[in-house]
Amino acid sequence: YMGDISRNYIDDIGVGYLASSFYNIPNLRELVLNVNKINENGARILAENLKYIPNLVLLDLESNNFGENGAESLANSFKNITNLQTLMFGCNKIRENGVKYLVDNFHNLPNLITLNLRNNNLKEEGANHLLYGLENLRSIKELDIRQNKIGDGNLIVSIVNRYHGRIKIDHRLN
């Protein structure tokens, strides 16, 4: 089963209504909520209800605006969606702290294959978290870290060199 409700101007209130129905659809495998208006509170509500859809393999929250605190709430819920294979978090302003929350919870995503963190203003500190945190994602094959203001590229080179051959890394700066 797939739930694609992208580009519908769903805000925190709307995601609350949606999340309250998750217990009725435990076999939901794909949840696509990209390009909506989910902020920090909506991410928290969503995170609290992900436990009702444990078979989720794709979670696409790209281009919302949940920031660091929303990333923390969602990262803490990874223990409830361990079958996840694709996580799309691009364009959410999660910054360095947000990626740290994700990295700290990567061990709960043993099946993750694709991770999109494009355009989140991760900077050098966030890239450094990724450099070592990716060790906990044994199944990952694709990583998108484009447009993150990572700096002169040394950290990107380190990430690429460290995981060369195991992970396809899209790291274009612009």
Side-chain angles (χ1 to χ4, degrees), residues 31-82:
L31 181 59
V32 180
L33 287 166
N34 63 23
V35 194
N36 279 295
K37 297 186 177 292
I38 301 169
N39 292 317
E40 174 183 325
N41 191 46
R44 183 186 50 75
I45 293 166
L46 187 62
E48 290 169 358
N49 288 279
L50 286 175
K51 63 187 172 197
Y52 298 114
I53 48 175
N55 297 313
L56 206 61
V57 295
L58 182 145
L59 179 59
D60 184 348
L61 296 173
E62 191 165 19
S63 297
N64 281 283
N65 192 28
F66 51 77
E68 298 174 13
N69 294 328
E72 180 180 20
S73 296
L74 290 160
N76 288 331
S77 73
F78 289 166
K79 63 184 176 283
N80 298 312
I81 52 173
T82 58

Side-chain angles (χ1 to χ4, degrees), residues 63-167:
S63 297
N64 281 283
N65 192 28
F66 51 77
E68 298 174 13
N69 294 328
E72 180 180 20
S73 296
L74 290 160
N76 288 331
S77 73
F78 289 166
K79 63 184 176 283
N80 298 312
I81 52 173
T82 58
N83 293 318
L84 199 67
Q85 295 175 7
T86 302
L87 180 60
M88 308 295 281
F89 260 35
C91 304
N92 276 297
K93 301 177 185 171
I94 68 170
R95 298 185 174 86
E96 305 94 332
N97 290 334
V99 79
K100 173 78 166 86
Y101 299 132
L102 297 181
V103 165
D104 288 347
N105 287 280
F106 277 169
H107 65 278
N108 289 314
L109 298 175
N111 300 301
L112 195 68
I113 297 168
T114 303
L115 176 60
N116 179 329
L117 296 174
R118 172 180 72 87
N119 195 14
N120 270 302
N121 204 18
L122 302 182
K123 298 185 180 174
E124 288 186 30
E125 184 181 345
N128 203 35
H129 292 312
L130 279 175
L131 176 62
Y132 299 102
L134 289 170
E135 288 292 333
N136 291 318
L137 290 176
R138 296 284 178 208
S139 60
I140 192 162
K141 302 286 182 226
E142 297 179 34
L143 173 66
D144 186 345
I145 53 172
R146 290 176 290 151
Q147 302 166 316
N148 270 298
K149 301 178 184 171
I150 293 175
D152 64 8
N154 287 334
L155 273 172
I156 291 175
V157 169
S158 295
I159 292 170
V160 170
N161 287 340
R162 185 177 188 117
Y163 299 102
H164 179 72
R166 185 167 80 89
I167 304 173

